PDB file of all heavy atoms in Angstrom:
ATOM      1  N   GLY A 120     -29.141  -1.610  10.402  1.00 82.00           N
ATOM      2  CA  GLY A 120     -28.338  -2.918  10.294  1.00 82.00           C
ATOM      3  C   GLY A 120     -28.971  -3.883   9.314  1.00 82.00           C
ATOM      4  O   GLY A 120     -30.061  -3.662   8.821  1.00 82.00           O
ATOM      5  N   LYS A 121     -28.219  -4.893   9.025  1.00 84.00           N
ATOM      6  CA  LYS A 121     -28.682  -5.895   8.064  1.00 84.00           C
ATOM      7  C   LYS A 121     -29.868  -6.725   8.582  1.00 84.00           C
ATOM      8  O   LYS A 121     -30.564  -7.257   7.799  1.00 84.00           O
ATOM      9  CB  LYS A 121     -27.466  -6.799   7.649  1.00 84.00           C
ATOM     10  CG  LYS A 121     -26.317  -6.034   7.014  1.00 84.00           C
ATOM     11  CD  LYS A 121     -25.127  -6.960   6.768  1.00 84.00           C
ATOM     12  CE  LYS A 121     -23.955  -6.123   6.209  1.00 84.00           C
ATOM     13  NZ  LYS A 121     -22.771  -6.995   6.051  1.00 84.00           N
ATOM     14  N   GLU A 122     -29.909  -6.839   9.859  1.00 91.00           N
ATOM     15  CA  GLU A 122     -30.990  -7.557  10.515  1.00 91.00           C
ATOM     16  C   GLU A 122     -31.669  -6.728  11.589  1.00 91.00           C
ATOM     17  O   GLU A 122     -31.007  -6.343  12.567  1.00 91.00           O
ATOM     18  CB  GLU A 122     -30.434  -8.876  11.170  1.00 91.00           C
ATOM     19  CG  GLU A 122     -29.882  -9.832  10.102  1.00 91.00           C
ATOM     20  CD  GLU A 122     -29.183 -11.079  10.670  1.00 91.00           C
ATOM     21  OE1 GLU A 122     -29.121 -11.179  11.906  1.00 91.00           O
ATOM     22  OE2 GLU A 122     -28.722 -11.872   9.906  1.00 91.00           O
ATOM     23  N   ASN A 123     -32.912  -6.452  11.405  1.00 89.00           N
ATOM     24  CA  ASN A 123     -33.606  -5.505  12.261  1.00 89.00           C
ATOM     25  C   ASN A 123     -33.621  -5.871  13.723  1.00 89.00           C
ATOM     26  O   ASN A 123     -33.549  -5.007  14.577  1.00 89.00           O
ATOM     27  CB  ASN A 123     -35.074  -5.315  11.765  1.00 89.00           C
ATOM     28  CG  ASN A 123     -35.147  -4.457  10.556  1.00 89.00           C
ATOM     29  OD1 ASN A 123     -34.299  -3.622  10.266  1.00 89.00           O
ATOM     30  ND2 ASN A 123     -36.128  -4.789   9.658  1.00 89.00           N
ATOM     31  N   LEU A 124     -33.710  -7.143  14.058  1.00 93.00           N
ATOM     32  CA  LEU A 124     -33.740  -7.582  15.432  1.00 93.00           C
ATOM     33  C   LEU A 124     -32.468  -7.271  16.203  1.00 93.00           C
ATOM     34  O   LEU A 124     -32.498  -7.110  17.427  1.00 93.00           O
ATOM     35  CB  LEU A 124     -34.009  -9.060  15.523  1.00 93.00           C
ATOM     36  CG  LEU A 124     -35.470  -9.631  15.200  1.00 93.00           C
ATOM     37  CD1 LEU A 124     -35.497 -11.112  15.277  1.00 93.00           C
ATOM     38  CD2 LEU A 124     -36.414  -8.978  16.245  1.00 93.00           C
ATOM     39  N   ALA A 125     -31.338  -7.070  15.418  1.00 95.00           N
ATOM     40  CA  ALA A 125     -30.108  -6.757  16.084  1.00 95.00           C
ATOM     41  C   ALA A 125     -30.178  -5.397  16.825  1.00 95.00           C
ATOM     42  O   ALA A 125     -29.595  -5.183  17.848  1.00 95.00           O
ATOM     43  CB  ALA A 125     -28.964  -6.622  15.046  1.00 95.00           C
ATOM     44  N   LYS A 126     -31.052  -4.513  16.348  1.00 94.00           N
ATOM     45  CA  LYS A 126     -31.197  -3.194  16.970  1.00 94.00           C
ATOM     46  C   LYS A 126     -31.676  -3.229  18.439  1.00 94.00           C
ATOM     47  O   LYS A 126     -31.490  -2.346  19.204  1.00 94.00           O
ATOM     48  CB  LYS A 126     -32.095  -2.309  16.126  1.00 94.00           C
ATOM     49  CG  LYS A 126     -31.522  -1.909  14.814  1.00 94.00           C
ATOM     50  CD  LYS A 126     -32.382  -0.922  14.033  1.00 94.00           C
ATOM     51  CE  LYS A 126     -33.594  -1.552  13.447  1.00 94.00           C
ATOM     52  NZ  LYS A 126     -34.332  -0.654  12.571  1.00 94.00           N
ATOM     53  N   LEU A 127     -32.354  -4.331  18.793  1.00 95.00           N
ATOM     54  CA  LEU A 127     -32.885  -4.499  20.113  1.00 95.00           C
ATOM     55  C   LEU A 127     -31.726  -4.671  21.138  1.00 95.00           C
ATOM     56  O   LEU A 127     -31.923  -4.433  22.356  1.00 95.00           O
ATOM     57  CB  LEU A 127     -33.730  -5.758  20.215  1.00 95.00           C
ATOM     58  CG  LEU A 127     -35.060  -5.735  19.339  1.00 95.00           C
ATOM     59  CD1 LEU A 127     -35.828  -7.013  19.446  1.00 95.00           C
ATOM     60  CD2 LEU A 127     -35.930  -4.511  19.704  1.00 95.00           C
ATOM     61  N   CYS A 128     -30.488  -4.985  20.605  1.00 96.00           N
ATOM     62  CA  CYS A 128     -29.378  -5.189  21.562  1.00 96.00           C
ATOM     63  C   CYS A 128     -28.573  -3.932  21.810  1.00 96.00           C
ATOM     64  O   CYS A 128     -27.674  -3.938  22.594  1.00 96.00           O
ATOM     65  CB  CYS A 128     -28.460  -6.265  20.912  1.00 96.00           C
ATOM     66  SG  CYS A 128     -29.194  -7.869  20.745  1.00 96.00           S
ATOM     67  N   TYR A 129     -28.936  -2.806  21.143  1.00 97.00           N
ATOM     68  CA  TYR A 129     -28.122  -1.576  21.264  1.00 97.00           C
ATOM     69  C   TYR A 129     -28.854  -0.617  22.211  1.00 97.00           C
ATOM     70  O   TYR A 129     -30.017  -0.361  22.121  1.00 97.00           O
ATOM     71  CB  TYR A 129     -27.946  -0.939  19.884  1.00 97.00           C
ATOM     72  CG  TYR A 129     -27.431  -1.872  18.819  1.00 97.00           C
ATOM     73  CD1 TYR A 129     -27.991  -1.880  17.544  1.00 97.00           C
ATOM     74  CD2 TYR A 129     -26.429  -2.860  19.086  1.00 97.00           C
ATOM     75  CE1 TYR A 129     -27.507  -2.736  16.533  1.00 97.00           C
ATOM     76  CE2 TYR A 129     -25.951  -3.657  18.107  1.00 97.00           C
ATOM     77  CZ  TYR A 129     -26.494  -3.608  16.817  1.00 97.00           C
ATOM     78  OH  TYR A 129     -26.026  -4.500  15.871  1.00 97.00           O
ATOM     79  N   SER A 130     -28.024   0.032  23.065  1.00 96.00           N
ATOM     80  CA  SER A 130     -28.535   1.109  23.904  1.00 96.00           C
ATOM     81  C   SER A 130     -28.472   2.443  23.110  1.00 96.00           C
ATOM     82  O   SER A 130     -29.186   3.412  23.483  1.00 96.00           O
ATOM     83  CB  SER A 130     -27.686   1.234  25.203  1.00 96.00           C
ATOM     84  OG  SER A 130     -26.320   1.479  24.876  1.00 96.00           O
ATOM     85  N   ALA A 131     -27.668   2.471  22.052  1.00 96.00           N
ATOM     86  CA  ALA A 131     -27.616   3.740  21.169  1.00 96.00           C
ATOM     87  C   ALA A 131     -27.398   3.246  19.800  1.00 96.00           C
ATOM     88  O   ALA A 131     -26.529   2.367  19.535  1.00 96.00           O
ATOM     89  CB  ALA A 131     -26.504   4.665  21.646  1.00 96.00           C
ATOM     90  N   LYS A 132     -28.117   3.857  18.836  1.00 97.00           N
ATOM     91  CA  LYS A 132     -28.035   3.435  17.451  1.00 97.00           C
ATOM     92  C   LYS A 132     -27.290   4.498  16.606  1.00 97.00           C
ATOM     93  O   LYS A 132     -27.510   5.667  16.807  1.00 97.00           O
ATOM     94  CB  LYS A 132     -29.446   3.155  16.930  1.00 97.00           C
ATOM     95  CG  LYS A 132     -30.186   2.099  17.653  1.00 97.00           C
ATOM     96  CD  LYS A 132     -31.657   1.960  17.209  1.00 97.00           C
ATOM     97  CE  LYS A 132     -32.380   0.967  18.063  1.00 97.00           C
ATOM     98  NZ  LYS A 132     -32.495   1.425  19.507  1.00 97.00           N
ATOM     99  N   LEU A 133     -26.438   4.032  15.753  1.00 97.00           N
ATOM    100  CA  LEU A 133     -25.614   4.862  14.959  1.00 97.00           C
ATOM    101  C   LEU A 133     -26.131   4.952  13.533  1.00 97.00           C
ATOM    102  O   LEU A 133     -26.313   3.882  12.796  1.00 97.00           O
ATOM    103  CB  LEU A 133     -24.171   4.310  14.880  1.00 97.00           C
ATOM    104  CG  LEU A 133     -23.496   4.047  16.268  1.00 97.00           C
ATOM    105  CD1 LEU A 133     -22.193   3.321  16.105  1.00 97.00           C
ATOM    106  CD2 LEU A 133     -23.373   5.308  17.092  1.00 97.00           C
ATOM    107  N   SER A 134     -26.433   6.114  13.020  1.00 96.00           N
ATOM    108  CA  SER A 134     -27.061   6.309  11.719  1.00 96.00           C
ATOM    109  C   SER A 134     -26.114   6.967  10.787  1.00 96.00           C
ATOM    110  O   SER A 134     -25.017   7.462  11.187  1.00 96.00           O
ATOM    111  CB  SER A 134     -28.337   7.175  11.839  1.00 96.00           C
ATOM    112  OG  SER A 134     -27.978   8.466  12.363  1.00 96.00           O
ATOM    113  N   TYR A 135     -26.440   6.937   9.493  1.00 95.00           N
ATOM    114  CA  TYR A 135     -25.684   7.684   8.420  1.00 95.00           C
ATOM    115  C   TYR A 135     -26.683   8.294   7.519  1.00 95.00           C
ATOM    116  O   TYR A 135     -27.805   7.813   7.351  1.00 95.00           O
ATOM    117  CB  TYR A 135     -24.722   6.673   7.754  1.00 95.00           C
ATOM    118  CG  TYR A 135     -25.374   5.413   7.239  1.00 95.00           C
ATOM    119  CD1 TYR A 135     -26.075   5.393   6.034  1.00 95.00           C
ATOM    120  CD2 TYR A 135     -25.270   4.295   7.951  1.00 95.00           C
ATOM    121  CE1 TYR A 135     -26.609   4.237   5.595  1.00 95.00           C
ATOM    122  CE2 TYR A 135     -25.834   3.075   7.508  1.00 95.00           C
ATOM    123  CZ  TYR A 135     -26.566   3.063   6.298  1.00 95.00           C
ATOM    124  OH  TYR A 135     -27.113   1.920   5.849  1.00 95.00           O
TER     125      TYR A 135
END
Side-chain angles (χ1 to χ4, degrees):
K121 299 174 184 176
E122 297 175 358
N123 285 330
L124 285 177
K126 291 187 285 188
L127 298 176
C128 297
Y129 309 137
S130 59
K132 300 172 185 65
L133 308 174
S134 61
Y135 51 82

